[in-house]
Amino acid sequence: MKKIYAAFITLASTFAINAQVSFGHIQNQIPRGQKGINQFDVKKDTVTYKGLSVDMGAAFALQFQAVNSFNDQQNLATAPNYRLNNLENNFNLPNANFTIGAQLYDGVRVNLDAYLASRHHNETWVKGGYLQIDKLDFIKKDFLADFMKYTTIKIGQMENNYGDAHFRRSDNGNAFMNPFVGNNIMDAFITEMGAEVYYNRSGFVSMIGVTNSKLNQNVQEIVAAAPTVSKPENNSTISPSILAKLGWDKQINEDLRIRLTGSYYHTANSSGNLYASDRAGSRFYGVMSHSDYTIINPATGAIVSTVANNFDPTANKDTGRFNPNYGNWATSYMVNPFIKYKGLEFFGTLEFTSGGDYKGTDDSRKVNQYVGDLVYRFGENERFYVGGKYNLVDGKLANANAEAIQINRFEAAAGWFMTKNVLAKLEYVDQNYKNFSQFNGATPNDLFGGSFKGLMFEAVISF
């Protein structure tokens, strides 16, 4: 803690010595508090450039969880002491984010996001950062000014802009934009090295981007595994990922806003995983996890193997989520309608995904997701809200399976903005698993006839 204080004092002293440095004069930035809700992609504003200026912010989230898990595993001859973990009603590890940035030049700013504490990484680590360019005056005054009036360029290892749903999700400590506690069951989120170019004009929304498809950067040689009968097409390279967005966003009048976008993500030879790259972890801790148990020979009672408890919230970070776990390649399309009339708003997600059935084959498999949430905001400056959300995932775990699995979740929430930077949420959640097999090989499947339900309380501070 003393080191943190010393670093802060040193930083403050440095800025005090250099009188040309200011705080908070940042251009084209989406607010981190209540004013940032329902702002998507990037924005242009009229903030005047006043020289080098520094931006600092943080976000904190704390949940109280009262949720229990259930499944249909009973009286198993091969695993007589198998059971799901009984979860206590208690607090989870608080989440914390830190943001630092700077206005470097007129129309040029830099941003760095760090996770100070998260479910998957209790220690501090960098989420990502980017350089945002809204003017090219550093090349020449008013260079391509008519074009850059509507254009934004982002470069870095950053949260890649696939779909609109990630602007309405909880990002570790930053849970201000999400009216609910949980993110989507298939939670599309990834931070890869790349660049994005936006052109937004007269309600027209567009973006094209490319990444190197790697979550963890390195220059290690890629050596393809030897082909086998079951895995004849092992990847021998990693291909760039392509992202695109096209849509329309218009404030029709004082009361009505309509937005509709379609987004695309594709990687021909994949390395990262769009649905397993949120290193912060799920909000529903420990759900559908089992205690330790033994596999026995029912005829003799002899122990065949021992299975460890998988509650560990760090290692088993994605409880309550679903990853289609595509191999070799992946393609996703997302359609997001958003309608806000006075205090009533609807946000939807239609997501159609496909990819290699498993690593080592290009055979296609599909999983789709459908989400709709309805929120009503009321009171002075919309300080209060109530809402409901339904989420359905449908698809096969493998082409060899006879039927598709389904996961559905219902969330009902209420929220209170105590100030524009402090939010309290209360939520009821009910999630169900259908058509999952009873066993994975010899071990019982935790999701067989599974469900979890209960209450979540979350307090959020963001500035």
Side-chain angles (χ1 to χ4, degrees):
M1 184 62 73
K2 291 181 179 179
K3 291 182 179 179
I4 295 175
Y5 289 148
F8 179 79
I9 292 171
T10 302
L11 188 63
S13 301
T14 301
F15 294 143
I17 292 171
N18 187 349
Q20 294 179 333
V21 177
S22 63
F23 278 94
H25 296 288
I26 307 298
Q27 298 174 323
N28 309 316
Q29 183 182 53
I30 294 176
R32 288 184 287 266
Q34 187 180 3
K35 289 184 178 180
I37 293 174
N38 295 331
Q39 294 198 33
F40 304 89
D41 302 317
V42 295
K43 60 170 287 188
K44 297 277 192 178
D45 58 33
T46 57
V47 175
T48 303
Y49 176 64
K50 297 184 178 181
L52 182 64
S53 186
V54 174
D55 171 56
M56 285 189 186
F60 311 95
L62 172 66
Q63 307 90 37
F64 182 89
Q65 178 171 314
V67 176
N68 280 314
S69 304
F70 313 89
N71 66 18
D72 289 342
Q73 302 283 21
Q74 295 181 2
N75 304 320
L76 299 177
T78 57
N81 61 338
Y82 167 87
R83 66 172 179 85
L84 293 179
N85 282 310
N86 294 316
L87 305 180
E88 293 186 354
N89 301 337
N90 217 321
F91 290 96
N92 292 320
L93 174 75
N95 317 110
N97 294 12
F98 177 71
T99 297
I100 185 168
Q103 192 71 44
L104 303 175
Y105 199 78
D106 192 10
V108 181
R109 69 179 182 90
V110 66
N111 187 87
L112 177 71
D113 293 311
Y115 290 164
L116 300 180
S118 68
R119 173 177 174 175
H120 188 47
H121 283 269
N122 301 157
E123 75 282 5
T124 298
W125 52 285
V126 173
K127 169 196 168 184
Y130 58 87
L131 184 73
Q132 180 169 316
I133 302 171
D134 288 279
K135 293 182 180 180
L136 298 176
D137 287 14
F138 59 89
I139 298 176
K140 182 182 177 181
K141 179 65 176 176
D142 293 331
F143 184 72
L144 295 179
D146 291 340
F147 175 71
M148 292 304 295
K149 183 179 179 181
Y150 308 102
T151 303
T152 296
I153 303 168
K154 292 178 70 175
I155 305 168
Q157 178 150 5
M158 57 191 173
E159 182 176 334
N160 307 126
N161 188 7
Y162 163 67
D164 282 354
H166 72 109
F167 292 106
R168 204 174 171 87
R169 69 187 292 280
S170 297
D171 180 21
N172 197 49
N174 183 9
F176 232 71
M177 310 308 162
N178 187 353
F180 303 92
V181 174
N183 294 333
N184 288 347
I185 296 172
M186 280 175 55
D187 189 16
F189 175 90
I190 200 163
T191 54
E192 296 176 342
M193 187 74 71
E196 298 170 350
V197 179
Y198 300 79
Y199 188 83
N200 299 335
R201 183 174 184 176
S202 302
F204 174 74
V205 176
S206 66
M207 186 279 296
I208 185 73
V210 62
T211 78
N212 70 345
S213 293
K214 299 183 74 169
L215 185 64
N216 297 310
Q217 306 306 315
N218 61 66
V219 294
Q220 184 177 3
E221 177 186 10
I222 300 168
V223 180
T228 64
V229 174
S230 62
K231 297 183 177 182
E233 299 157 323
N234 291 299
N235 284 355
S236 59
T237 187
I238 295 175
S239 300
S241 295
I242 306 299
L243 303 100
K245 180 180 290 188
L246 189 64
W248 184 75
D249 188 342
K250 195 73 171 179
Q251 190 73 42
I252 306 300
N253 54 45
E254 183 180 354
D255 295 329
L256 178 63
R257 176 187 175 190
I258 298 176
R259 176 181 171 95
L260 178 64
T261 62
S263 301
Y264 170 78
Y265 170 92
H266 175 72
T267 179
N269 295 276
S270 59
S271 170
N273 187 321
L274 183 61
Y275 302 101
S277 295
D278 173 24
R279 291 158 290 174
S282 161
R283 278 296 196 256
F284 304 115
Y285 285 58
V287 296
M288 308 312 301
S289 65
H290 59 251
S291 64
D292 50 357
Y293 63 94
T294 53
I295 303 293
I296 67 169
N297 183 329
T300 64
I303 295 176
V304 176
S305 62
T306 300
V307 181
N309 188 317
N310 68 344
F311 171 82
D312 187 345
T314 301
N316 190 13
K317 68 180 179 66
D318 290 322
T319 48
R321 292 177 176 169
F322 175 76
N323 172 16
N325 203 25
Y326 293 128
N328 281 33
W329 63 275
T331 300
S332 294
Y333 299 89
M334 184 183 289
V335 178
N336 296 113
F338 172 72
I339 302 171
K340 182 173 175 65
Y341 179 72
K342 294 185 177 180
L344 183 66
E345 61 187 46
F346 169 79
F347 182 82
T349 296
L350 303 173
E351 190 167 19
F352 309 98
T353 78
S354 58
D357 189 18
Y358 53 87
K359 289 183 178 180
T361 179
D362 288 338
D363 293 345
S364 179
R365 177 167 54 86
K366 297 180 179 181
V367 178
N368 297 327
Q369 176 169 237
Y370 312 92
V371 190
D373 74 62
L374 193 66
V375 174
Y376 181 66
R377 303 181 188 272
F378 59 97
E380 184 180 1
N381 297 320
E382 298 187 340
R383 293 185 64 187
F384 306 97
Y385 69 82
V386 292
K389 177 179 177 180
Y390 183 75
N391 191 167
L392 172 67
V393 170
D394 180 271
K396 285 191 174 184
L397 297 175
N399 285 335
N401 291 0
E403 59 183 344
I405 59 93
Q406 283 192 350
I407 308 172
N408 66 73
R409 179 197 295 165
F410 172 73
E411 293 173 84
W416 172 30
F417 290 94
M418 300 167 64
T419 75
K420 65 181 180 179
N421 300 102
V422 181
L423 169 63
K425 310 178 191 178
L426 180 65
E427 171 178 293
Y428 172 77
V429 60
D430 185 347
Q431 181 160 317
N432 300 278
Y433 298 81
K434 297 181 179 180
N435 302 331
F436 282 81
S437 62
Q438 186 172 9
F439 293 90
N440 291 321
T443 59
N445 187 344
D446 296 333
L447 305 182
F448 174 69
S451 67
F452 66 85
K453 60 188 68 178
L455 295 174
M456 297 285 296
F457 171 79
E458 183 169 52
V460 187
I461 300 172
S462 181
F463 60 90

